[in-house]
Amino acid sequence: MKKVRDIMSTDLSVCQSSSSLFDAASMMKQKNVGAVPVCDENGQLMGMVTDRDLAVRGYANHSADSTPVQQVMSDHLYSVTPDTTLEEASQMMAEHQVRRLPVVESGKLTGMISLGDLSNEKLSDEAAGVALHEISERPELH
């Protein structure tokens, strides 16, 4: 059975908690991503900042570009380890209504897995479809 380590993205860009909203938004634009992990100087995962966090918790509240991402990031995260099976990862995404999961080993961020990653795997394509269906069925969470 395939594991998260087999398909996770490892070329990650991260913010530090002191990075500004502008820095996070610029990074998202440059990398064409909708979420950036927030780590401390030792690589310990602290949170995640999404484009929605920037818009709703940041700019819609009149936060300045220089506001630290720590003020708008999500710090209640679900994560997996590199040894988590793809089926377990897709079940976690469906259960917790998330489209991406940080991959953490010994507290340090080592990768990221998304619904897109799962959908590219034939063995997990059905599980990814189920997870996406579960996420899409709960509009109150978006």
Side-chain angles (χ1 to χ4, degrees), residues 37-73:
V38 180
C39 296
D40 68 13
E41 58 278 349
N42 297 317
Q44 297 281 331
L45 182 64
M46 298 175 60
M48 184 85 72
V49 63
T50 66
D51 47 7
R52 182 169 170 79
D53 292 331
L54 294 176
V56 175
R57 295 183 190 163
Y59 296 119
N61 285 332
H62 303 287
S63 296
D65 282 346
S66 59
T67 302
V69 294
Q70 186 170 14
Q71 291 185 18
V72 301
M73 73 180 190

Side-chain angles (χ1 to χ4, degrees), residues 69-119:
V69 294
Q70 186 170 14
Q71 291 185 18
V72 301
M73 73 180 190
S74 300
D75 57 6
H76 181 73
L77 300 178
Y78 301 99
S79 63
V80 293
T81 68
D83 291 322
T84 302
T85 67
L86 298 185
E87 184 177 338
E88 291 169 325
S90 64
Q91 288 172 349
M92 183 178 283
M93 287 178 181
E95 180 182 341
H96 298 293
Q97 307 293 301
V98 295
R99 296 175 185 265
R100 61 189 69 81
L101 291 169
V103 182
V104 177
E105 194 165 30
S106 301
K108 293 191 178 191
L109 181 68
T110 60
M112 189 75 73
I113 187 166
S114 69
L115 277 177
D117 297 328
L118 289 173
S119 68

